[in-house]
């Protein structure tokens, strides 16, 4: 629900840090601590199409550690 409401989310996966952010023009971004960013037209688009190590967020979400919402 934090993503639907536009909150920024910080999490780690396999020792690497990531965050999801949203812009005022409706774009959603998945970034990592190496300055790699994936941009999407919506939070739904992000969850369906963003990839971390070849997997979708939905596929790995139970394995991530959320640091802040």
């Amino acid at each position: 629900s934090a993503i639907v409401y536009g909150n920024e989310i910080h999490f780690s996966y396999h020792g690497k840090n990531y965050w999801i952010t949203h812009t005022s023009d409706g774009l959603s971004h998945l970034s990592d601590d190496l300055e790699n960013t994936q941009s999407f037209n919506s939070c739904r688009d992000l969850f369906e199409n963003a990839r971390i190590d070849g997997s979708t967020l939905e596929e790995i979400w139970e394995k991530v550690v959320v640091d802040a919402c």
Side-chain angles (χ1 to χ4, degrees):
S1 66
I3 292 182
V4 172
Y5 291 108
N7 294 5
E8 187 168 308
I9 297 178
H10 295 254
F11 63 94
S12 60
Y13 178 70
H14 287 199
K16 195 171 177 183
N17 297 312
Y18 298 88
W19 58 95
I20 296 171
T21 58
H22 310 280
T23 60
S24 60
D25 58 358
L27 295 177
S28 297
H29 304 279
L30 171 65
S31 301
D32 65 25
D33 52 4
L34 298 176
E35 299 183 18
N36 298 308
T37 298
Q38 301 174 50
S39 299
F40 301 92
N41 292 322
S42 67
C43 61
R44 178 182 305 273
D45 188 25
L46 181 144
F47 265 91
E48 291 176 355
N49 297 302
R51 296 287 186 270
I52 295 177
D53 296 338
S55 299
T56 66
L57 291 178
E58 183 178 11
E59 293 169 336
I60 65 166
W61 197 251
E62 290 185 14
K63 299 174 188 170
V64 308
V65 176
V66 176
D67 297 325
C69 295

